[in-house]
Amino acid sequence: MELVSIIIPTYKGSDKVAAAVESVLNQTYPNIEIIVVDDNGKGTEEQKKTEKAMQIFADNPKVKYIAHEVNKNGAAARNTGIRASKGEYLGFLDDDDLFLSEKTAKEVEKFRSLPDDYGLVYGSFIEHMTETYTRTVEADNADNFLFRFLCNEVIACSSTVMIRRKVLDTVVEWDETFRRHQDLEFFARVAHDYKVSCIKDVCIEKFKLDRNMPRGKAYEEYRMHYLNKMKPIIEEFSPEQQKYLYNIHYTEIGKCYMKEKNFGTALKWAGKTSNPIKTLFVYGRDALAYFKRNH
């Protein structure tokens, strides 16, 4: 039975990380190792709290706890976990998410049914958007996965994904220049070089927390860094596809400014799209949906 390594990066998550670890220990698939990488920085109050929370697993041979000397970022924490892991398959779990019990078993079973040129498998998930609003995001295994993934039309968040270790032979590890969108960038590079499959089953619960949500200018900088890094892959698509893709991302940046009531900057980003009027309509539609969800 193949070993599966589950890597859990944690930062300011001392009150949640133990539940994430427990959800992996409760997997029906038995041959698992869990590597928790504490990215708070040794000696910080949050690192001390995280280390204390992890004490309940001190005698469990399946669980390894590693603390970074200083805060780096989520990509660096995942790379630390990868380097410390031994599994034939690698999974990733955010410290505020939870695996459902059959997640690992079903993804390993899927990999066993696929040829070796498949490098990534992902599943559906439940996302708790607010205290009162929950949605189910279904995995979509379209043939044009990479393009639709880059357009945010297919969502494969980091906690749903499993990869074959062998993809690391050709795909460089997580890009540590990223503070945000590092999962999108890494999975896009995997999908560029390998085929992707999915399981339709809901495999995780995801919790959308304010600590994970950049605002305004920061969101713009993170998104543009992602697009610039993806440019060599984006340029492989047709001019029309590229225009469509950039329209989607520019609209998302504008929507972020709209939420902050920074209407002038939101209008600027609408103007960067090929159809500003349509983009303004999207702003209004999404603002109304957001209001309904939160009132």
Side-chain angles (χ1 to χ4, degrees):
M1 180 179 287
E2 305 94 324
L3 177 65
V4 178
S5 303
I6 306 299
I7 296 158
I8 306 177
T10 183
Y11 175 71
K12 294 184 178 180
S14 59
D15 58 334
K16 301 173 180 65
V17 67
V21 173
E22 288 285 2
S23 76
V24 183
L25 291 174
N26 289 334
Q27 294 293 287
T28 59
Y29 189 89
N31 196 19
I32 288 178
E33 67 171 0
I34 303 166
I35 303 168
V36 176
V37 183
D38 185 337
D39 192 42
N40 289 291
K42 281 187 177 178
T44 62
E45 284 303 310
E46 190 64 24
Q47 187 271 323
K48 293 175 183 177
K49 291 178 182 177
T50 302
E51 188 171 23
K52 184 177 180 180
M54 290 296 298
Q55 281 299 310
I56 61 173
F57 308 111
D59 296 327
N60 193 320
K62 290 187 175 183
V63 181
K64 180 185 293 186
Y65 170 74
I66 302 171
H68 278 169
E69 290 292 337
V70 297
N71 169 248
K72 296 180 179 180
N73 58 43
R78 290 176 177 90
N79 284 340
T80 295
I82 288 172
R83 293 162 194 161
S85 69
K86 299 176 181 178
E88 182 173 340
Y89 300 112
L90 303 174
F92 306 94
L93 177 61
D94 292 349
D95 62 5
D96 48 14
D97 296 341
L98 301 172
F99 278 4
L100 299 188
S101 63
E102 295 187 352
K103 191 264 190 193
T104 305
K106 288 181 177 178
E107 290 187 339
V108 170
E109 181 182 4
K110 172 59 74 171
F111 263 125
R112 288 172 177 167
S113 72
L114 296 169
D116 286 346
D117 56 349
Y118 280 82
L120 184 151
V121 167
Y122 74 106
S124 304
F125 63 95
I126 295 171
E127 184 169 32
H128 302 279
M129 304 289 285
T130 67
E131 290 184 0
T132 58
Y133 175 61
T134 296
R135 66 171 183 166
T136 299
V137 179
E138 295 186 357
D140 179 355
N141 204 40
D143 290 339
N144 56 344
F145 174 89
L146 177 59
F147 178 70
R148 297 188 65 223
F149 180 71
L150 289 170
C151 292
N152 294 339
E153 293 177 357
V154 177
I155 303 176
C157 70
S158 57
S159 296
T160 68
V161 164
M162 182 180 288
I163 65 169
R164 293 187 197 269
R165 175 175 287 278
K166 77 164 196 172
V167 307
L168 299 173
D169 294 339
T170 55
V171 178
V172 179
E173 293 179 335
W174 295 62
D175 188 330
E176 296 184 14
T177 67
F178 277 74
R179 304 295 298 182
R180 176 88 177 165
H181 302 318
Q182 61 264 36
D183 52 344
L184 302 182
E185 190 272 346
F186 178 71
F187 298 146
R189 285 191 286 115
V190 174
H192 180 263
D193 290 357
Y194 293 87
K195 292 181 180 178
V196 175
S197 189
C198 73
I199 57 171
K200 293 292 186 179
D201 306 76
V202 171
C203 61
I204 72 158
E205 281 191 88
K206 185 172 183 61
F207 298 84
K208 198 159 189 169
L209 302 179
D210 285 342
R211 72 186 174 106
N212 294 331
M213 298 301 294
R215 313 290 182 183
K217 185 65 176 176
Y219 182 88
E220 174 189 333
E221 291 173 353
Y222 293 149
R223 185 57 63 102
M224 291 307 298
H225 181 62
Y226 167 64
L227 290 174
N228 289 334
K229 284 281 189 172
M230 288 289 96
K231 190 174 181 180
I233 292 177
I234 293 171
E235 289 180 343
E236 295 179 12
F237 298 107
S238 71
E240 283 303 310
Q241 287 176 310
Q242 292 181 48
K243 182 190 297 184
Y244 177 80
L245 186 153
Y246 282 113
N247 280 349
I248 287 172
H249 289 279
Y250 293 166
T251 300
E252 288 299 312
I253 294 170
K255 282 160 57 176
C256 190
Y257 281 114
M258 284 289 290
K259 289 179 182 178
E260 294 192 334
K261 300 182 180 179
N262 187 341
F263 302 121
T265 307
L267 287 172
K268 181 192 80 171
W269 281 97
K272 288 178 178 287
T273 68
S274 61
N275 191 337
I277 300 300
K278 181 180 178 181
T279 302
L280 292 174
F281 172 79
V282 172
Y283 287 174
R285 181 199 65 194
D286 285 16
L288 180 60
Y290 179 81
F291 179 83
K292 287 180 176 179
R293 285 199 305 267
N294 292 276
H295 292 83

